[in-house]
Amino acid sequence: MKYYNTQILIAIISNKLYMDEYLLYNHAMNESFSFELIAVQDKARAGIFHTPHGSINTPTFAPVGTQAAVKGVTPDQLANLNTQLLLANTYHLYLRPGDNLISELGGLHKFMGWNKPILTDSGGYQVFSLGDINQIDDNGVTFKSHIDGSIHTFTPEKAIQIQENLGADIIMCFDECPDPYQFEYNRSAMNRTHNWAERCKSAHTRSDQALFGIVQGGIFKDLRIESAKFINGLDFHGNAIGGLSVGEKKSEMLTILDIVPEFLSENKPRYLMGVGTPLDIVEGVARGIDLFDCVNPTRLARHKAAFTRFGRINITNKKYRSDKKPLVVDCDCYTCSNFSRAYLRHLVKANEILAPTLLSIHNLHILIDLADQLRRSIITGTFDDYRTNYHKNASNQGDSI
Amino acid sequence: MKYYNTQILIAIISNKLYMDEYLLYNHAMNESFSFELIAVQDKARAGIFHTPHGSINTPTFAPVGTQAAVKGVTPDQLANLNTQLLLANTYHLYLRPGDNLISELGGLHKFMGWNKPILTDSGGYQVFSLGDINQIDDNGVTFKSHIDGSIHTFTPEKAIQIQENLGADIIMCFDECPDPYQFEYNRSAMNRTHNWAERCKSAHTRSDQALFGIVQGGIFKDLRIESAKFINGLDFHGNAIGGLSVGEKKSEMLTILDIVPEFLSENKPRYLMGVGTPLDIVEGVARGIDLFDCVNPTRLARHKAAFTRFGRINITNKKYRSDKKPLVVDCDCYTCSNFSRAYLRHLVKANEILAPTLLSIHNLHILIDLADQLRRSIITGTFDDYRTNYHKNASNQGDSI
């Protein structure tokens, strides 16, 4: 039986009014895209990126809704997770249901019922990883659809046109994504990516969409520096680092992240594409990254794995059979607030489709909440301590048992 | 930009206090199970069934969570649908994860994160429809598990013991469910069901669980009347009608529903098991039924079908490709408030697991909301008009296009 205390209610109301003022201030900043740095600690940054669909507090992690849906998670649930930015895939949406249909239906935000910022990738990565490629040349890439085998060509201009039809707040340049270890291929792919970046910039017409460039160059420092300088020189709304977390060693990724950000403008957001894990986010933020996305949280959930803050657990393990604890003991996500490991294990063993939903909610929370905690630590000047403690807990297995 | 009006807030607070008083009143009524009739119009009844986990306003429809989960729908989403009662299946939970484990973990409510009323069936229907039956005799049924082929025996005493371990608010007598058309088999199955009902009543020990009897007798009026009189005479907390919607014609089901309820006590809830569709609910309520359950809303959702109030649509139909309308134009469920038919069709075509979730939310809403509207019409004395209009709209295809 709950009786609300009047004083508490008034405090809630006052706070609400205060928040509205704050949002009003933010809205005024939204006239065009802009990135404000709120606090910096060494290389780590806390910022705000203003977009037509609202402001994004950085660093943050963006869930992936490949086909205009985060697998098993509703927009309502995503909003409850404090999701600030969603990613959708141009390659998939172009093939099905088609960017023209989405445009006709009012754009991606309306189509998928998500009124906050959206980012679309350019289709580059998917064309190279999913498509059956017929031809690559300076003009673009011709490939077979993974759905029905039909033949399609993506050029830089086409990738921008599709993304303008989709209507995300942040769109990406079309890039070539090679195996990270082949030097010659990486040099030519980088040069082609630079040429395509210039063409994407020329093709870009919608002022309500921010266009980001992408740095390539595999695991090669010289190429990465050359690429960062070139892409940064084109003065995009933001800069991304692509071609990482694609099979190279973790140490190789970190080496590249040690050097690339310093060549990218301080006053623009930096986006590390397709990364990753809790540890990747801590180390990416330490190196000056502001935005992250990855399919990991939802894909692992469909494969019965749950993130802890420091690693992961396989919930089908017999030791969880009668375990009354939540996935992570002090986690305040919906899943951990309501369900035991024993129940989640049962759902997975019984093939209930609620299992990937509840595990996805938890996994997404771990990454979104971690990025938010890193942001707070930067603002309060305690990022170094946070990072040191993080590594100490991780090496003690942290909350993974 | 929203500024809350103080007067509105005070109104909300007052209403909240009023609701708390009301709940306090209801709580006092909950000391034991009781059923209050609020309004009656001809045979149709609006009532309140008080249980240890809260009151159930009747008539109502109960979603089915076979394996302690409604497929693809979280408890939070179920609560938002105004779900008052959930059903779970004894047969499934006994086999996996086991009723002893659920008991050890604090019972079904805690296990599945649902703190409102739950009903478990007795396993009778599943043993006869899913199990590979080895032997049936007066003692009970021996069957092979559909999961691993292991051998198990359910007796009336065992069915009660399992349900007491699970700990639902409403539990059911173990019954034999024959083909509805075979007279001799139905007579012997009915007699066995009566004997088992007496044994279930003797075996039942937990005073915080209401035990319901089940009327059987196939499509045969004489058997149904005999069964209704016998079961009613055992003075259970409520009475159920089983063995309908199992393959007989709709007209045959309605004929049985025309006669059975009058032999069941007016001051106890009447539960029509495994039914059904919007039309079934209207016609069941018209004949004095208070509780319904069915897997239809979630099963149809997994088969790409959506309920309208009067029928159903297959969302994969090409005519919905660019349809901006919601599934049902004036439906206020989460799905219809946020997503177009075109988007839902895309999700289904793209095999997104969000599709069954969103379709299930809509389908459950249609049945729960319909039962609530019927309740209101009974209370306001307009049930006959509601029913007449319903049939008129249904024959005009209503909202199905």
Side-chain angles (χ1 to χ4, degrees), chain A residues 205-398:
Chain A
T205 66
R206 280 182 64 167
S207 63
D208 60 342
Q209 295 186 300
L211 177 60
F212 280 28
I214 304 178
V215 173
Q216 287 288 355
I219 59 156
F220 305 100
K221 286 188 193 180
D222 292 353
L223 296 183
R224 286 286 179 177
I225 291 171
E226 183 183 345
S227 186
K229 285 179 177 170
F230 185 91
I231 293 295
N232 193 61
L234 291 180
D235 196 23
F236 290 107
H237 289 103
N239 296 298
I241 305 173
L244 288 178
S245 200
V246 293
E248 81 283 4
K249 291 182 198 143
K250 192 76 86 182
S251 60
E252 291 167 328
M253 178 177 90
L254 293 178
T255 300
I256 298 302
L257 289 181
D258 279 336
I259 53 164
V260 168
E262 67 182 284
F263 295 97
L264 303 175
S265 299
E266 275 211 314
N267 63 346
K268 290 178 182 173
R270 299 172 187 146
Y271 165 32
L272 178 56
M273 305 183 77
V275 175
T277 65
L279 179 64
D280 292 340
I281 290 178
V282 173
E283 291 309 301
V285 168
R287 286 161 175 80
I289 300 298
D290 308 301
L291 299 171
F292 302 83
D293 82 281
C294 193
V295 295
N296 255 344
T298 45
R299 181 170 290 167
L300 288 175
R302 296 197 303 287
H303 291 89
K304 304 159 190 183
F307 273 131
T308 65
R309 293 201 184 89
F310 311 104
R312 66 177 78 157
I313 60 178
N314 182 329
I315 193 62
T316 57
N317 194 308
K318 187 143 192 199
K319 70 180 170 184
Y320 302 126
R321 184 180 167 276
S322 61
D323 192 335
K324 293 180 183 181
K325 293 192 290 296
L327 286 171
V328 169
V329 171
D330 56 349
C331 176
D332 59 1
C333 80
Y334 173 69
T335 301
C336 288
S337 303
N338 290 281
F339 309 102
S340 64
R341 294 171 179 178
Y343 179 66
L344 296 167
R345 179 177 187 272
H346 162 64
L347 292 186
V348 167
K349 300 286 279 183
N351 291 315
E352 282 289 334
I353 58 172
L354 196 58
T357 293
L358 294 180
L359 291 174
S360 291
I361 286 172
H362 168 77
N363 287 350
L364 288 170
H365 171 81
I366 288 286
L367 297 192
I368 292 168
D369 186 57
L370 173 62
D372 187 55
Q373 287 187 39
L374 293 171
R375 175 183 165 82
R376 287 163 196 264
S377 76
I378 296 164
I379 291 171
T380 55
T382 57
F383 174 77
D384 283 346
D385 298 340
Y386 190 100
R387 186 180 174 200
T388 305
N389 274 328
Y390 182 90
H391 285 287
K392 205 163 72 184
N393 284 326
S395 60
N396 291 336
Q397 296 225 330

Side-chain angles (χ1 to χ4, degrees), chain B residues 234-309:
Chain B
L234 292 181
D235 196 23
F236 290 106
H237 289 102
N239 295 298
I241 305 173
L244 288 178
S245 201
V246 292
E248 80 286 3
K249 294 181 195 140
K250 191 76 87 181
S251 60
E252 291 168 327
M253 178 177 87
L254 293 178
T255 300
I256 298 303
L257 289 181
D258 280 335
I259 54 164
V260 169
E262 67 182 283
F263 294 97
L264 304 175
S265 299
E266 276 210 313
N267 63 347
K268 289 177 183 172
R270 298 172 187 147
Y271 164 33
L272 178 54
M273 304 183 78
V275 175
T277 66
L279 180 63
D280 292 340
I281 290 178
V282 173
E283 291 309 302
V285 168
R287 288 161 175 80
I289 300 297
D290 308 300
L291 299 171
F292 302 83
D293 82 282
C294 194
V295 294
N296 255 343
T298 44
R299 183 171 290 169
L300 287 174
R302 295 196 305 285
H303 291 89
K304 305 158 190 184
F307 274 131
T308 65
R309 292 200 184 91

Side-chain angles (χ1 to χ4, degrees), chain A residues 12-31:
Chain A
I12 293 169
I13 299 163
S14 316
N15 190 43
K16 174 78 183 99
L17 296 179
Y18 170 79
M19 283 305 294
D20 282 345
E21 296 295 345
Y22 178 77
L23 291 171
L24 185 66
Y25 162 79
N26 266 2
H27 185 71
M29 302 290 299
N30 279 344
E31 295 301 311

